[in-house]
Amino acid sequence: METLGVPARFVATDVTRRADADALVDAAGEFGGVDVMVCNAGITLGADGADVAEADYRRLMAVNLDGVLFGAQAAARQMKDRATPGSIVLMASMGGLVGAGFTVAYSTSKGGVILMAKSLADALGPDGIRVNAVCPGTIDTHLLRSTPDIAQAADGFRQRTPLRRLGQPSEIGDAVAYLGSELSGYVTGEPRSSSTAA
Ligand SMILES: NC(=O)c1ccc[n+]([C@@H]2O[C@H](COP(=O)([O-])OP(=O)(O)OC[C@H]3O[C@@H](n4cnc5c(N)ncnc54)[C@H](O)[C@@H]3O)[C@@H](O)[C@H]2O)c1
């Protein structure tokens, strides 16, 4: 970022710890506060079938669900205090829309993230805070290459993808930039298949 001429600060954060999420958001005060929060951290498991081990399941949920909620809560608190509109983007997955037998815990967590986005959008909308989830397909990253079951399935995913290629990280960055900007000023609670209103 510094090479782009944009001031930046690294804050070591374990998203599974609520206090870390709060400290991260506090640190943004140096730059005037958080306008856009992207809850991106997520993990997969080496063995994630129907018999997923309890310790692995809890470790994954701590990052993929607790961590996303803690980050969104910390950002929302500061956005409310500043009384400025804000955008929170949660990183879900196609895996949260379509389950798979080798990603039982992962798909469960990402399905939860999608409903977290819808629920937070409804809760925070009156404060002018938008919350959306992004559901990437198969993106060529460390996560893909380091998870053998997913790496093995990647070619099948590619063939079933309309563009017949894997996505690049920057292409997900573009979607996040859109959701963080005023170009999406009337977009919240996505992906949406029905109303969130009770
Ligand atoms: N690569 C894909 O095909 C794909 C598809 C759909 C969704 N996603 C999601 O995109 C997000 C980014 O994944 P990626 O593919 O870039 O993988 P990645 O492994 O390259 O990045 C994941 C990041 O999460 C961080 N992280 C893990 N545990 C953490 C913790 N406790 N506290 C703070 N940070 C932690 C890691 O340090 C890493 O930088 C994840 O939420 C992932 O589930 C990826």
Side-chain angles (χ1 to χ4, degrees), residues 10 36 39 60 66 72 75 102 105 120 127 130 154 160 163 196:
F10 173 76
V36 180
C39 300
L60 180 141
D66 302 7
F102 56 91
L120 288 175
D127 294 299
R130 299 183 294 110
R160 292 196 296 279
L163 292 174
T196 42

Side-chain angles (χ1 to χ4, degrees), residues 8-26:
R9 162 112 78 109
F10 173 76
V11 181
T13 303
D14 178 350
V15 298
T16 68
R17 298 159 61 100
R18 181 188 290 272
D20 279 19
D22 291 343
L24 174 68
V25 167
D26 286 349

